[in-house]
Amino acid sequence: METLRAYLNGLALGKQRDFAASCETSLEYLRKAISKGQKLGPALSVLIEINSAGAVSRKNLHPEDWMKIWPELNSKATAA
């Protein structure tokens, strides 16, 4: 979540709101989730990765369970 916090903090407030909207959520929800250490859902995590151009990855948002949610990411890493 620290990567997401840093990413958001690197954007101007208007861009933060635009980013959240492009992720189909609100900036307030993202800030609350970050502050509480709340797990984000898989769909939102994918949207964050896409809309941050990979700066905030699904693996980063789900360090303990990304292998269970997206097993195909593990096979890509071993194939590379």
Side-chain angles (χ1 to χ4, degrees), residues 8-73:
L8 287 174
N9 288 343
L11 300 174
L13 182 59
K15 294 289 184 185
Q16 290 177 21
R17 293 194 184 286
D18 292 344
F19 173 77
S22 68
C23 294
E24 301 175 10
T25 191
S26 67
L27 178 59
E28 293 74 18
Y29 176 80
L30 291 177
R31 289 288 182 195
K32 180 181 174 189
I34 291 167
S35 70
K36 292 188 173 237
Q38 181 179 334
K39 276 216 180 209
L40 301 175
L44 178 55
S45 298
V46 169
L47 288 171
I48 289 171
E49 182 176 66
I50 291 168
N51 289 294
S52 71
V56 182
S57 71
R58 293 176 270 178
K59 289 181 179 183
N60 177 268
L61 294 171
H62 292 267
E64 288 88 32
D65 61 355
W66 68 266
M67 295 88 52
K68 295 175 187 170
I69 303 169
W70 302 286
E72 69 279 5
L73 295 180

